[in-house]
Amino acid sequence: GQSLEQPSEVTAVEGAIVQINCTYQTSGFYGLSWYQQHDGGAPTFLSYNALDGLEETGRFSSFLSRSDSYGYLLLQELQMKDSASYFCAVRSDSWGKLQFGAGTQVVVTP
Amino acid sequence: DVKVTQSSRYLVKRTGEKVFLECVQDMDHENMFWYRQDPGLGLRLIYFSYDVKMKEKGDIPEGYSVSREKKERFSLILESASTNQTSMYLCASSPQGRGPYNEQFFGPGTRLTVL
């Protein structure tokens, strides 16, 4: 079957670093995406990794290891506004279909 | 800016009613998707479309159908609404994925309650 596993919740204080892991088992793999969703809002795209390694975009970085079927999203210098749900998603075909994980709720405390 | 709009933010329907959820995107995207989102289950794909008049079943198509008569519009239809279809419904669009990635752009969602 197809599955994506990520932790359900992570709590951290402002200024800290948080790593959200994602392991996947899917029938097709073209890349791993990360989306952010604030309460009551729509998911928005954060990053995409098609090749192994680290991609950095400001305070957020994303990593992929295709041989381990594993990736992570790293949130640095946490801010209160980073409190949200974060979803990993596997691009499972060449046209752009995504399969999402259940999401990780990140709670940032003062 | 890419804009994906959905016809209603909140909807309340009765069991057995036929329900139409409309989604319109203004960026000439080929791909359109319908998801439902439930707590602890993430986003689950109901149906998707890679072209006008084309539709493919996602992971949970039972009880739903779709229509794509125009490129910009993708409709989700609940033929006979049931209480277990109470959920948040999200529509998304993306350009066709021949490039390195194809970000999906989401609408604001429709929270459907079936009584």
Side-chain angles (χ1 to χ4, degrees):
Chain A
Q2 304 192 86
S3 67
L4 287 87
E5 299 287 336
Q6 55 181 126
S8 59
E9 185 171 324
V10 172
T11 300
V13 297
E14 267 187 300
I17 299 173
V18 156
Q19 179 173 316
I20 304 169
N21 297 321
C22 175
T23 57
Y24 58 87
Q25 184 176 20
T26 57
S27 57
F29 183 84
Y30 287 78
L32 185 70
S33 295
W34 289 92
Y35 284 76
Q36 179 192 58
Q37 185 181 31
H38 286 100
D39 272 353
T44 55
F45 173 82
L46 287 177
S47 68
Y48 177 80
N49 294 66
L51 302 175
D52 291 353
L54 190 69
E55 296 277 346
E56 297 180 76
T57 311
R59 295 186 295 113
F60 294 178
S61 304
S62 56
F63 171 83
L64 175 65
S65 168
R66 288 174 297 170
S67 60
D68 295 322
S69 298
Y70 163 76
Y72 66 72
L73 179 69
L74 194 70
L75 288 64
Q76 302 181 77
E77 300 171 22
L78 273 180
Q79 301 176 9
M80 297 298 291
K81 67 179 181 180
D82 298 329
S83 290
S85 292
Y86 294 82
F87 296 89
C88 60
V90 165
R91 179 179 166 186
S92 54
D93 68 15
S94 61
W95 301 97
K97 188 171 71 171
L98 295 178
Q99 179 158 3
F100 284 84
T104 298
Q105 184 167 7
V106 172
V107 178
V108 182
T109 60
Chain B
D1 273 356
V2 175
K3 196 157 188 183
V4 180
T5 56
Q6 295 184 227
S7 49
S8 304
R9 211 47 185 110
Y10 299 94
L11 208 52
V12 179
K13 294 292 181 181
R14 297 275 178 198
T15 303
E17 279 193 79
K18 191 168 186 176
V19 181
F20 293 87
L21 302 182
E22 304 285 339
C23 175
V24 177
Q25 51 95 5
D26 66 359
M27 283 302 291
D28 201 37
H29 286 166
E30 293 84 1
N31 301 341
M32 295 190 77
F33 307 86
W34 273 108
Y35 297 91
R36 66 176 280 176
Q37 184 174 23
D38 301 288
L41 297 178
L43 282 74
R44 292 182 292 165
L45 183 63
I46 305 171
Y47 267 96
F48 59 100
S49 170
Y50 289 156
D51 201 353
V52 177
K53 307 260 186 204
M54 178 266 184
K55 59 186 177 184
E56 292 284 345
K57 292 180 180 179
D59 300 317
I60 52 165
E62 296 77 21
Y64 305 94
S65 62
V66 290
S67 172
R68 194 166 181 201
E69 296 296 316
K70 293 186 177 181
K71 190 175 186 179
E72 68 271 18
R73 187 179 298 270
F74 193 35
S75 303
L76 180 70
I77 303 151
L78 286 67
E79 294 289 342
S80 178
S82 64
T83 55
N84 63 13
Q85 292 178 310
T86 291
S87 187
M88 172 67 83
Y89 289 88
L90 290 162
C91 175
S93 72
S94 69
Q96 207 111 81
R98 289 189 184 85
Y101 68 89
N102 55 336
E103 172 186 349
Q104 288 192 10
F105 296 85
F106 284 83
T110 296
R111 185 164 291 284
L112 173 67
T113 302
V114 183
L115 302 175

